[in-house]
Amino acid sequence: LPCGVLRLCIMEGRNLVQENMFRVLPDTYVVVNIGSQVVKTKTQRQNSNPVWGQMYDLLLYDERQTLTVSVFGEELTGSSNIGAALELQVADIILSGEEGKWVGLLPHKMTSQGQVLLKATVFDLCAHPEEIEGCIAGANQIAIN
């Protein structure tokens, strides 16, 4: 059973320069895998330092769970892998706090070492629905005061 919900924010990338014969900036997007769950950002056109700022809620089974980050570039012939990160523990991203964690990518078709900034928060799941209602009522009371 899941122990919580991981809110993963894929913030931005830097130095995502792709080798190609036309020397144009890449159309980049990120794919993150955690267990059987997969999320994909929108494609940022012609940008080697893209800002995605996208948030995803994923089921978390253990904070020691790992995720992989891959960056792809869209080309006329289809998508190609620009770079990928090693498996990264979710706890490492969570512990980085508000600053987030810059994840270095292993070059695949990059001319330099690219990175992706990730931020994460974990929300606990409640076993009893009345606990959720109590949290909502408490939040509403604070908002009123």
Side-chain angles (χ1 to χ4, degrees):
L1 291 175
C3 65
V5 174
L6 174 70
R7 176 156 295 158
L8 179 68
C9 300
I10 303 171
M11 301 305 294
E12 61 185 294
R14 64 181 173 201
N15 299 323
L16 304 178
V17 180
Q18 182 178 11
E19 288 182 16
N20 58 47
M21 64 182 172
F22 301 111
R23 306 239 184 260
V24 296
L25 294 173
D27 296 340
T28 54
Y29 63 92
V30 175
V31 174
V32 174
N33 295 330
I34 179 168
S36 62
Q37 302 168 93
V38 179
V39 296
K40 176 185 175 281
T41 65
K42 293 181 180 177
T43 301
Q44 294 294 318
R45 302 279 177 221
Q46 297 184 347
N47 195 340
S48 60
N49 296 306
V51 176
W52 293 285
Q54 290 184 253
M55 192 179 321
Y56 302 93
D57 289 337
L58 304 159
L59 292 177
L60 184 65
Y61 293 87
D62 189 322
E63 288 182 359
R64 294 171 295 185
Q65 238 178 307
T66 58
L67 58 82
T68 56
V69 179
S70 299
V71 178
F72 293 90
E74 289 183 354
E75 299 176 348
L76 293 175
T77 58
S79 294
S80 67
N81 189 342
I82 295 176
L86 296 172
E87 287 191 347
L88 179 69
Q89 281 198 345
V90 170
D92 291 339
I93 302 167
I94 296 166
L95 293 175
S96 63
E98 287 293 316
E99 307 296 316
K101 181 171 183 69
W102 282 101
V103 178
L105 302 173
L106 299 173
H108 181 68
K109 290 188 172 184
M110 290 191 308
T111 57
S112 63
Q113 179 70 36
Q115 297 178 311
V116 173
L117 177 60
L118 302 175
K119 294 183 181 182
T121 306
V122 174
F123 298 97
D124 291 329
L125 296 177
C126 294
H128 306 287
E130 61 275 5
E131 290 179 18
I132 295 172
E133 291 171 7
C135 291
I136 293 171
N140 287 340
Q141 186 65 27
I142 291 169
I144 292 170
N145 295 333

